[in-house]
Amino acid sequence: MPVPGLPPYDDTNVFARILRGEIPSKRIYEDEWAVAFHDIAPQAPVHVLVIPRGKYCSFADFSASASAEEIVGFTRAVGRIARELGLEAAGYRVIANMGQHSGQEVPHYHVHILAGRPLGRMLVRV
Ligand code: 5GP
């Protein structure tokens, strides 16, 4: 069910195509709820994208429309991936961009897991 005020899901977006196997990706994890792969343009030594299997445009869409099972399954997958990558000791950052001001490029909900060096302040002051 589309969220009022948000665009409908676009089945041609690049992550939908990765999910369908139409575009290659370096997959590192998948389960019933989530698929994870390396970002094509990494911004840190570790830069992994985690996407739900369901068709959600953004965090706003996912948080409003996904079932409790999907939300728990996806969230646990993100934590598990970070743990399995050995990131917990040094720490990591999880980011979700939503909409124009965030710079969201791909309209399929995803989180970025960034790690592998000190990541600095969360936002650069401009
Ligand atoms: P956003 O700005 O939407 O939060 O992040 C989109 C991310 O997807 C960017 O970091 C970008 O590098 C990554 N990306 C875009 N196209 C592809 C692709 O075809 N393959 C992979 N692995 N990552 C992609």
Side-chain angles (χ1 to χ4, degrees), residues 14-15 18 37-41 47 49 97 103-106 110 112:
V14 69
F15 292 170
I18 283 176
F37 47 89
H38 290 286
D39 196 290
I40 203 167
H47 189 168
L49 299 168
N97 291 316
Q104 182 182 358
E105 289 171 11
V106 180
H110 54 280
H112 301 250

Side-chain angles (χ1 to χ4, degrees), residues 8-111:
Y9 184 79
D10 170 12
D11 244 330
T12 66
N13 79 75
V14 69
F15 292 170
R17 299 186 65 199
I18 283 176
L19 265 179
R20 292 196 294 267
E22 295 167 7
I23 294 180
S25 67
K26 292 184 184 163
R27 279 194 195 202
I28 60 163
Y29 178 88
E30 56 187 303
D31 66 18
E32 185 180 353
W33 309 110
V35 173
F37 47 89
H38 290 286
D39 196 290
I40 203 167
Q43 294 184 40
V46 177
H47 189 168
V48 166
L49 299 168
V50 190
I51 68 176
R53 287 195 185 272
K55 297 180 179 186
Y56 302 102
C57 302
S58 63
F59 176 77
D61 189 15
F62 184 73
S63 61
S65 307
S67 68
E69 248 191 324
E70 284 175 293
I71 292 170
V72 170
F74 179 78
T75 305
R76 288 214 198 284
V78 174
R80 183 172 170 190
I81 292 158
R83 190 162 57 248
E84 289 181 356
L85 289 171
L87 305 179
E88 285 183 348
Y92 59 92
R93 182 171 292 157
V94 176
I95 294 176
N97 291 316
M98 188 278 148
Q100 195 182 353
H101 278 190
S102 74
Q104 182 182 358
E105 289 171 11
V106 180
H108 180 111
Y109 174 50
H110 54 280
V111 302

